[in-house]
Amino acid sequence: MGAELGVNVDHVATVRQARGVTYPDPVRAAAAAEDAGADQITVHIRMDRRHIQEQDLIDLSHSVRTRLNVEMAATDEMMAIALRLRPHQVTLVPEREGEVTTEGGLDLRDTPTRDSVASAVAALQEAGIRAAIFADPDPDQVEAVAASGAQVIELNTAAYAEAESEEAVLRELGRVESAAASAANAGLYVAAGHGLHYQNVEPLTRCGLIREFNIGHSLVAQAIFDGLSTAVRNMKVLIS
Ligand code: PXP
């Protein structure tokens, strides 16, 4: 069986927010992505609300037919939103004010981060929400994610996606593969994402250990030329 595709529709909301109007609607985009074969809809609610708004989460929590995966920082404000809306999954990510996009995985070697993540994971699970942690493909981070009690690790593929030389690409691919193998051995469900597109996703599917890919920017970019349904369908073919 091939890997599953989580379609991140944040940038549909980015376009809407650029004009301060009601369209394009990420809820409509989510439905179109699901019709085209998405297995999950992913959105990131940021502290500055630059794209996805709380109302989008409320609407998506009613409309998504597959699974709703909400990325967020493990802050009190975000946890309150998660516990109120109860999406299928919450992916805990780091967030730095002013960053253009998520800059790395959560660093669980840092004790305060590890403690706040562990209590967020426990609260999510208590509420019946699957807990995922976005982490760099590093043996220490994988071990810490397994120890946190989360069910899912999402491996950060940014370094792989940004690698330029063939040697660097192979090195970063190897890091993701070996982190995926350790995570799977530790009983974690393995997902991956960040910076993936039509030209770089296929090598990551070969190890057969990554069960889900979360992809946003490249799909919304391709949708400008091909339409969202075709963009999602073509990515689904590549990953499965
Ligand atoms: N996974 C996580 C944890 C992310 O923060 C993001 C970006 O919001 C993605 C996946 C998707 O990355 P991209 O938009 O580069 O496909």
Side-chain angles (χ1 to χ4, degrees):
M1 206 182 77
E4 299 201 319
L5 176 62
V7 174
N8 181 316
V9 294
D10 289 351
H11 285 340
V12 176
T14 302
V15 175
R16 177 192 63 193
Q17 296 307 110
R19 272 294 172 96
V21 291
T22 57
Y23 66 93
D25 182 0
V27 173
R28 187 172 167 200
E34 288 182 309
D35 287 343
D39 301 289
Q40 168 168 284
I41 299 301
T42 297
V43 285
H44 186 172
I45 180 145
R46 288 186 161 275
M47 290 184 274
D48 64 8
R49 305 295 195 275
R50 74 172 78 146
H51 39 55
I52 293 294
Q53 310 295 306
E54 240 177 288
Q55 189 60 48
D56 295 321
L57 290 188
I58 294 168
D59 296 344
L60 287 164
S61 69
H62 292 126
S63 67
V64 165
R65 289 161 280 150
T66 53
R67 304 187 302 260
L68 178 61
N69 172 33
V70 179
E71 298 172 359
M72 57 171 60
T75 60
D76 291 347
E77 181 203 6
M78 293 302 170
M79 286 301 293
I81 293 172
L83 297 176
R84 200 164 56 244
L85 294 179
R86 297 182 186 230
H88 299 91
Q89 178 170 303
V90 163
T91 301
L92 299 172
V93 300
E95 198 172 314
R96 186 182 65 78
E97 209 178 322
E99 67 185 4
V100 172
T101 183
T102 312
E103 291 173 338
L106 275 166
D107 185 2
L108 298 184
R109 287 170 302 199
D110 173 61
T111 309
T113 305
R114 199 172 54 231
D115 292 348
S116 70
V117 165
S119 65
V121 165
L124 291 169
Q125 288 177 345
E126 173 105 341
I129 304 165
R130 197 159 82 139
I133 295 178
F134 186 56
D136 290 339
D138 171 284
D140 293 344
Q141 301 295 349
V142 173
E143 204 182 311
V145 172
S148 76
Q151 294 105 316
V152 181
I153 186 168
E154 180 174 341
L155 294 169
N156 178 13
T157 52
Y160 162 73
E162 286 159 18
E164 287 179 2
S165 67
E166 196 178 331
E167 189 193 345
V169 170
L170 290 175
R171 184 183 64 236
E172 296 303 331
L173 179 62
R175 278 202 183 128
V176 176
E177 285 172 344
S178 96
S182 320
N185 274 338
L188 291 164
Y189 180 94
V190 184
H194 215 284
L196 299 179
H197 51 65
Y198 299 88
Q199 282 75 42
N200 67 10
V201 76
E202 201 270 333
L204 289 169
T205 65
R206 288 189 208 135
C207 66
L209 295 166
I210 301 173
R211 297 168 68 183
E212 171 191 303
F213 291 94
N214 285 301
I215 306 179
H217 184 85
S218 64
L219 284 174
V220 175
Q222 196 61 29
I224 291 170
F225 303 103
D226 292 343
L228 186 59
S229 303
T230 302
V232 169
R233 240 180 253 120
N234 288 344
M235 186 61 81
K236 216 15 216 184
V237 169
L238 279 178
I239 67 165
S240 51

